[in-house]
């Protein structure tokens, strides 16, 4: 019982640290800059970062399985340019072009997941290939921006709904919708719980008869859908397609996921934590913008420092957990025993919640 309580407490330490960081950044901003307490400012965090939030939600499930997806930034740019080319150059209605690129993103993700699982390719290598492939294809479409300002369909994204003192555009509702769907999928579906089990111990999940292949392919397919949708949302936001869109975006998504409390080794994490991680990145950008005399590179420096701090926190908690497990085993049996990693475990011990 003591091990269970300690494990539950340790599980929530990273997300508590993230929420504390959000509160601290907010009050630092309120104390130093006039207008920082305006409720619209908080809403704006999820307007400018709506695309990042959607991409990071997909990345959360990939990391929960112990994987990584480096192709999301390139796939996002390819989706944006493909929509622009089909709509402007080929004359295909945006109502057809947008679903087409989202489906393509999902198929690409499923193919990547299948390569990773059936050919035992490291996720880093498989998705790195996708990064170069889709960045190259993006520049094959065009090396110049494609304006979407005259396309009526792309006016919908920034149409706002007034809610008292704040107004929220449709792209933010779309991003929140992805968060809600991902939250329900992760916590209330069997496949979602299997994702946690695969990340906790893939061999144990397979021995328990869980659909490991389907889970891994599904999460990469979902990540592809999120990356393509993130590209479309960005097109809604800036009303143009840029071939350089999404450069380094995969790193921002990974940073948001890790700062949001998801373990890089897989098995533990929170979709809502990723939303908190995106809030942290947005608040840092906002504070630097309010300061006025700092380069935007200071945001990169702050994010790098935070990422390192959260990774060290994860390692510390991981070592703390190992020590607790050994202690309990020694106390119970009187002799020092090593747990058998190949032994089938219960759903709870495999990280299923």
């Amino acid at each position: 019982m003591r091990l269970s309580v300690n494990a539950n407490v340790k599980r929530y330490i990273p997300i508590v640290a993230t929420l504390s960081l959000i509160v601290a950044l907010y009050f630092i901003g309120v104390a130093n800059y006039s207008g920082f307490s305006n409720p619209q400012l908080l809403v704006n965090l999820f307007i400018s970062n709506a695309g990042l939030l959607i991409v990071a939600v997909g990345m959360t499930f990939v990391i929960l399985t112990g994987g990584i997806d480096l192709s999301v930034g390139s796939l996002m740019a390819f989706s944006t340019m493909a929509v622009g080319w089909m709509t402007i150059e080929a004359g295909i209605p945006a109502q057809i072009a947008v679903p087409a690129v989202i489906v393509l993103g999902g198929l690409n993700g499923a193919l990547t997941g299948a390569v990773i699982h059936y050919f035992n390719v490291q996720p880093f290598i498989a998705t790195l290939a996708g990064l170069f492939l889709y960045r190259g294809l993006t520049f094959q479409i065009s090396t110049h921006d494609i304006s979407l300002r005259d396309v009526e369909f792309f006016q919908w994204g920034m149409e706002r709904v007034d809610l008292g003192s704040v107004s929220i555009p449709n792209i933010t509702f779309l991003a929140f919708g992805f968060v809600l769907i991902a939250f329900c999928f992760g916590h209330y579906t069997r496949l979602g719980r299997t994702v946690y089990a695969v990340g906790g111990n893939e061999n144990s999940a397979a021995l328990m008869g869980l659909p490991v292949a389907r889970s891994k392919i599904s999460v990469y397919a979902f990540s592809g859908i999120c990356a393509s949708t993130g590209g479309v949302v960005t097109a809604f936001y800036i009303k143009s397609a840029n071939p350089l869109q999404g450069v380094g975006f995969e790193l921002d998504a990974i940073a948001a996921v890790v700062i949001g409390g998801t373990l890089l080794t897989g098995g533990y994490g929170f979709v809502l934590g990723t939303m908190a991680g995106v809030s942290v990145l947005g608040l840092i950008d906002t504070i630097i913008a309010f300061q006025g005399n700092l380069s935007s590179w200071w945001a990169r420096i702050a994010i790098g420092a935070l990422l390192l701090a959260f990774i060290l926190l994860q390692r510390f908690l991981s070592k703390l957990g190992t020590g607790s497990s050994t202690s309990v085993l020694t106390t119970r049996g009187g002799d020092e025993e090593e747990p058998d990693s190949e032994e089938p475990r219960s759903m709870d011990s495999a990280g299923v919640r």
Side-chain angles (χ1 to χ4, degrees):
M1 178 62 72
R2 180 184 175 184
L3 175 62
S4 176
V5 171
N6 288 340
N8 285 330
V9 170
K10 284 180 288 187
R11 176 185 302 172
Y12 292 105
I13 287 177
I15 187 61
V16 170
T18 304
L19 295 176
S20 302
L21 183 60
I22 290 174
V23 173
L25 288 172
Y26 178 74
F27 281 105
I28 287 173
V30 171
N32 290 280
Y33 310 108
S34 62
F36 204 92
S37 59
N38 189 332
Q40 185 64 45
L41 183 140
L42 296 178
V43 174
N44 290 344
L45 295 179
F46 295 104
I47 298 175
S48 57
N49 292 299
L52 174 60
L53 178 57
I54 294 173
V55 174
V57 165
M59 184 70 77
T60 302
F61 285 96
V62 172
I63 293 179
L64 280 174
T65 63
I68 202 81
D69 191 349
L70 299 179
S71 67
V72 292
S74 296
L75 182 57
M76 176 183 172
F78 173 78
S79 301
T80 308
M81 290 297 291
V83 165
W85 181 85
M86 285 192 285
T87 305
I88 302 299
E89 303 294 337
I92 299 174
Q95 291 85 347
I96 297 176
V98 169
V101 297
I102 293 174
V103 170
L104 179 62
L107 292 176
N108 166 77
L111 178 62
T112 302
V115 169
I116 290 171
H117 181 75
Y118 291 111
F119 294 92
N120 199 25
V121 177
Q122 287 296 318
F124 175 84
I125 300 300
T127 57
L128 183 63
L131 183 153
F132 287 115
L133 173 66
Y134 281 99
R135 185 59 64 183
L137 290 174
T138 299
F139 281 103
Q140 287 299 313
I141 295 174
S142 176
T143 57
H144 304 287
D145 291 5
I146 300 176
S147 176
L148 299 170
R149 292 188 179 279
D150 297 330
V151 181
E152 183 179 357
F153 179 82
F154 287 97
Q155 309 304 318
W156 173 84
M158 291 305 292
E159 291 177 358
R160 292 173 179 263
V161 176
D162 291 327
L163 298 174
S165 59
V166 300
S167 63
I168 303 175
N170 289 326
I171 59 171
T172 302
F173 285 115
L174 184 62
F176 288 164
F178 265 79
V179 172
L180 180 62
I181 292 171
F183 176 81
C184 294
F185 170 76
H187 292 272
Y188 299 109
T189 68
R190 184 172 180 80
L191 184 60
R193 292 192 294 270
T194 302
V195 169
Y196 283 93
V198 171
N201 190 316
E202 185 173 332
N203 290 331
S204 294
L207 289 170
M208 286 190 293
L210 298 176
V212 175
R214 189 173 67 186
S215 301
K216 294 175 72 175
I217 292 172
S218 296
V219 298
Y220 282 96
F222 184 62
S223 180
I225 290 172
C226 289
S228 295
T229 306
V232 173
V233 164
T234 303
F236 276 125
Y237 182 57
I238 62 176
K239 294 184 176 59
S240 71
N242 187 328
L244 292 175
Q245 185 72 43
V247 173
F249 211 73
E250 60 278 355
L251 304 182
D252 287 337
I254 293 170
V257 173
V258 174
I259 292 173
T262 298
L263 294 184
L264 271 173
T265 52
Y268 290 111
F270 311 91
V271 172
L272 296 182
T274 296
M275 190 171 174
V278 172
S279 302
V280 169
L281 302 190
L283 279 171
I284 291 173
D285 287 335
T286 303
I287 288 175
I288 289 177
F290 267 78
Q291 181 64 25
N293 59 355
L294 291 177
S295 165
S296 61
W297 289 109
W298 278 102
R300 305 286 94 186
I301 294 171
I303 293 170
L306 280 177
L307 188 58
L308 178 61
F310 274 84
I311 289 173
L312 291 177
L313 177 63
Q314 290 184 4
R315 292 298 300 169
F316 173 74
L317 292 175
S318 176
K319 287 183 177 296
L320 198 62
T322 303
S324 297
S325 299
T326 305
S327 173
V328 170
L329 286 171
T330 304
T331 303
R332 281 178 179 173
D335 300 324
E336 290 189 2
E337 298 177 356
E338 292 294 331
D340 185 358
S341 61
E342 299 298 326
E343 183 179 353
R345 302 188 302 173
S346 67
M347 294 284 280
D348 285 340
S349 64
V352 182
R353 290 171 294 168

